[in-house]
Amino acid sequence: MSSVRASITGAVVALATAALVPAAAEEPSLRLTVHNDLDLPRARESVEIEPALFRGVLGDKILGRVRVAEEPSGSERLAQAVDLDGDGSAEAIVFQADFAPRQAKSFRVHLGERRAYRREDFQVYGRFVRERHDDFAWENDRVAFRFYGEALETFAGEPLTSSALDAWSKRTARLVLNDWYLVDDYHHDHGEGGDFYPAGRSRGCGGSGLVRDGALLVSKNFRASRVLAPGPIRLVFELDYPEWETPGVKAMETKRVTLDAGSQLNKLESFYQVPGGGVVTWAAGMRVAAGVVPRVDRERGVVRTWEHQTRYGENGWLGCGVVVDPAAIVETRAEGDNQLVVARTPEGSPARFYAGSGWDGSGRFADAAAWDSYLDAFAARVRSPLRVEAVR
């Protein structure tokens, strides 16, 4: 009997003690509904959550701790908290998902223990390449590009002054830039692609410049670079262009480039500092090779080329594409060996456009019509971004 009393007494004490221990606080979380308002599917589309939606719930010191789960399945999505100014606070949360036409999906965003990304998580990469005369090169699982740096202007072997966007061709999802630079034979295809596109002194596959008195003014090679967000889903970096090929031009350009996993096109934003400020007129464009007829679709804001790559042998066909907000376009015109889109940007806003490439050797674009289809769908997605709503 005494043992029974002891058991009962112990149980009562345990219950009383448990009642005195406060319940664990519920983990803060943010529930979202993301809407695709287009009659088009969106594959591996980046969902961007702005600070106004998450900071009040999760705070901003969340680097390495963000978790995103699709509901109701609970399956986790790889997520990246983006810190663009290095202060340890997130300016955005990015993850990717597929959407059918007119589909809405639900997600739960919460915090976990800080953890490092794995090598296999990274689908984007970029760096300053001092050993190749100051290139800045970058890639994702589909495409690769580079801008030229200062040392190339005085390279004894083959000097080049150009702010062109150079496009490389990939047929692998693997991140290859470091290997290609290491071997230093990337003008030849060893099974994964290569650099077959002769950007030269043209605008390449999406270079830009200022327009003054109707003339295109282009900068020299970039003078400084910095990576703002290294991935694994979104790469963001900046390049500074303080010097111009036309004598006497007083302007400073900081070009911010954003490339997401799975995208053929970069987002480019040029922040210009010009004397007196005011509206900035600028142009973006691409090289037009002999015999190539560019497609110019001002209504959609799309310009593209489709050209045969033969400079280093038979290397298939490459499409270049530029997408600009149609409302910003002033005119489209051919100038020299370039096709240009001229646009205006209000004071204080960046000159924003999208540029990139598609190669038939990748297996995704059999011909110019397939490249056109991709660009038209991309332009439609830019005009109608995913709509992200917090569920209260």
Side-chain angles (χ1 to χ4, degrees):
M1 181 66 71
S2 60
S3 62
V4 172
R5 289 196 201 96
S7 297
I8 295 173
T9 302
V12 171
V13 171
L15 288 171
T17 303
L20 294 174
V21 176
E26 185 176 347
E27 179 186 73
S29 64
L30 175 65
R31 282 181 162 80
L32 302 172
T33 301
V34 182
H35 303 263
N36 173 19
D37 295 325
L38 290 175
D39 291 318
L40 296 171
R42 306 171 97 126
R44 293 179 64 195
E45 186 89 352
S46 292
V47 179
E48 181 172 333
I49 310 172
E50 297 182 348
L53 285 179
F54 69 79
R55 282 186 173 171
V57 178
L58 304 177
D60 56 4
K61 305 297 184 181
I62 58 176
L63 303 184
R65 298 182 58 205
V66 178
R67 308 287 188 270
V68 174
E70 185 170 344
E71 295 188 323
S73 69
S75 61
E76 186 173 347
R77 298 279 179 177
L78 180 68
Q80 176 185 349
V82 179
D83 175 15
L84 294 177
D85 55 14
D87 66 352
S89 300
E91 281 80 50
I93 296 171
V94 179
F95 64 96
Q96 294 189 316
D98 299 333
F99 295 86
R102 297 286 176 181
Q103 184 180 23
K105 285 188 172 183
S106 298
F107 301 90
R108 176 174 172 266
V109 186
H110 61 104
L111 300 181
E113 294 296 320
R114 182 179 295 273
R115 67 184 180 193
Y117 293 113
R118 304 166 301 169
R119 170 66 179 80
E120 56 267 31
D121 290 332
F122 281 83
Q123 301 166 72
V124 292
Y125 178 67
R127 73 174 178 94
F128 176 65
V129 190
R130 183 174 295 282
E131 70 269 26
R132 221 305 297 195
H133 314 295
D134 294 357
D135 285 351
F136 194 100
W138 70 103
E139 64 179 316
N140 66 8
D141 54 316
R142 292 191 168 196
V143 285
F145 305 92
R146 68 174 164 182
F147 279 118
Y148 303 123
E150 182 176 11
L152 188 60
E153 293 181 359
T154 56
F155 172 44
E158 190 180 350
L160 177 62
T161 299
S162 174
S163 54
L165 175 56
D166 189 22
W168 290 15
S169 301
K170 287 179 62 174
R171 65 163 58 87
T172 176
R174 195 173 73 86
L175 300 179
V176 297
L177 286 180
N178 281 333
D179 290 344
W180 287 7
Y181 275 113
L182 179 66
V183 175
D184 195 21
D185 191 33
Y186 45 76
H187 291 308
H188 298 95
D189 188 349
H190 296 284
E192 294 182 313
D195 174 19
F196 316 127
Y197 180 74
R201 289 180 56 79
S202 72
R203 291 298 79 207
C205 215
S208 59
L210 286 169
V211 175
R212 288 186 180 172
D213 300 323
L216 176 66
L217 308 178
V218 297
S219 65
K220 294 183 177 181
N221 301 10
F222 74 83
R223 296 304 195 245
S225 66
R226 54 202 162 269
V227 174
L228 306 182
I233 300 168
R234 172 169 291 177
L235 171 73
V236 185
F237 65 91
E238 289 182 342
L239 306 175
D240 292 336
Y241 291 90
E243 299 185 26
W244 297 75
E245 291 194 37
T246 303
V249 173
K250 297 185 182 302
M252 168 71 181
E253 176 191 5
T254 295
K255 188 186 298 290
R256 178 175 292 182
V257 181
T258 302
L259 179 63
D260 285 357
S263 179
Q264 303 286 143
L265 274 64
N266 304 275
K267 180 170 75 171
L268 297 105
E269 298 172 290
S270 289
F271 299 82
Y272 289 107
Q273 298 177 38
V274 296
V279 173
V280 173
T281 304
W282 54 278
M286 64 195 66
R287 170 182 179 269
V288 180
V292 171
V293 179
R295 174 197 169 203
V296 179
D297 187 336
R298 180 166 175 170
E299 182 179 350
R300 289 186 174 91
V302 173
V303 175
R304 71 100 173 113
T305 56
W306 184 257
E307 70 173 82
H308 198 188
Q309 299 188 114
T310 58
R311 179 170 180 175
Y312 302 102
E314 172 52 61
N315 290 296
W317 292 76
L318 184 78
C320 287
V322 166
V323 175
V324 181
D325 178 1
I329 296 176
V330 176
E331 64 169 328
T332 62
R333 70 169 189 251
E335 182 170 317
D337 59 354
N338 295 302
Q339 175 64 49
L340 301 178
V341 180
V342 181
R344 287 199 181 101
T345 297
E347 183 175 7
S349 298
R352 181 181 295 113
F353 64 101
Y354 300 82
S357 61
W359 182 40
D360 68 347
S362 69
R364 285 184 289 273
F365 306 103
D367 51 29
W371 182 229
D372 282 338
S373 179
Y374 178 87
L375 291 173
D376 290 347
F378 185 96
R381 295 197 303 271
V382 170
R383 293 193 300 271
S384 179
L386 290 170
R387 189 160 46 89
V388 182
E389 295 180 335
V391 179
R392 304 299 180 186

